[in-house]
Amino acid sequence: MIEDVTQDPAIAEVVIDEARLQARIGELGAQIARDYAWKNPVLVGILRGSIMFVADLLRQLDIPASLDLLAISSYSGRDSSGVVRLIKDLDHPIEGKHVLLVEDIIDTGLTLNYVLRSLRTRSPASLEVCTLLSKPARRLIDLPVRYVGFEIPDVFVVGYGLDYNQRYRNLPFLGALRVGA
Ligand code: IMP
Ligand code: MG
């Protein structure tokens, strides 16, 4: 039997549907294109959760821009371990470049804090953050975030790149995971 993830009983509800996601990404893309005209920004996607977002955001930029990726690991299950590991570094130096870090979700802020500290030491011309989602209620570290797609309440969301134990990344929308699932 083919499993239909959109009908999975572990998904309690749709939090942000595909149309709303894409509309907001269009707005973010337009804003970033204005702010970064002539700056040739490097979008740095944080693997794996931000892959859908960084791909769609890049598609919305009608200015020259490049892409690099880094991979970190901070979570197992629902809770941040607080320990962040760099699994894959950037492929290219960012010294003197305008870097826009693209994240799926900022929860406690621990992950982003680690990544920002690491990238700052490489002397980029500028370093800003664009996150699709933010859960302000959970923040432990206050960080400067220039672009936020949606602020959401303290619910664990999956889909559109975000996972729960590596599942549900393939959903085209953001759904809330049923408590106890
Ligand atoms: P932070 O270090 O607590 O800010 O966690 C950031 C990372 O945790 C994100 O990049 C996600 O990979 C993961 N994360 C946080 N909240 C959620 C969620 O609701 N669903 C899926 N992943 C999440
Ligand atoms: Mg992530």
Side-chain angles (χ1 to χ4, degrees):
M1 198 176 83
I2 297 168
E3 188 188 12
D4 180 356
V5 286
T6 65
Q7 301 300 318
D8 193 310
I11 306 298
E13 60 172 341
V14 175
V15 176
I16 304 173
D17 68 23
E18 196 174 354
R20 260 186 87 203
L21 276 176
Q22 293 303 330
R24 182 70 184 121
I25 294 166
E27 290 172 1
L28 288 172
Q31 196 184 344
I32 291 165
R34 277 196 304 275
D35 295 348
Y36 285 86
W38 316 111
K39 287 190 172 168
N40 227 318
V42 185
L43 270 61
V44 171
I46 304 183
L47 297 175
R48 280 165 278 188
S50 75
I51 74 159
M52 310 275 185
F53 179 43
V54 77
D56 284 341
L57 187 63
L58 196 58
R59 239 180 299 227
Q60 295 295 333
L61 292 186
D62 55 2
I63 55 165
S66 58
L67 173 69
D68 207 338
L69 298 164
L70 54 81
I72 49 172
S73 152
S74 59
Y75 265 54
S76 69
R78 287 170 186 256
D79 296 305
S80 184
S81 60
V83 180
V84 182
R85 275 192 312 136
L86 184 68
I87 292 172
K88 179 212 167 292
D89 205 344
L90 296 175
D91 290 332
H92 301 286
I94 54 167
E95 188 179 345
K97 306 247 169 149
H98 294 281
V99 174
L100 182 60
L101 203 54
V102 180
E103 181 54 308
D104 52 358
I105 183 165
I106 305 174
D107 189 28
T108 61
L110 293 171
T111 307
L112 188 63
N113 186 49
Y114 171 89
V115 174
L116 282 172
R117 278 194 353 227
S118 159
L119 296 189
R120 258 188 220 118
T121 65
R122 306 178 195 189
S123 309
S126 66
L127 179 58
E128 301 287 352
V129 178
C130 176
T131 186
L132 179 63
L133 305 168
S134 174
K135 286 186 202 170
R138 299 253 310 167
R139 202 63 40 85
L140 295 177
I141 303 174
D142 201 26
L143 298 162
V145 182
R146 178 103 175 248
Y147 308 95
V148 178
F150 301 91
E151 289 199 344
I152 61 168
D154 182 14
V155 286
F156 196 87
V157 290
V158 293
Y160 196 68
L162 287 93
D163 74 305
Y164 173 62
N165 288 341
Q166 302 307 323
R167 284 195 64 192
Y168 307 113
R169 292 193 200 275
N170 49 329
L171 293 174
F173 58 86
L174 279 160
L177 199 67
R178 198 175 291 284
V179 176

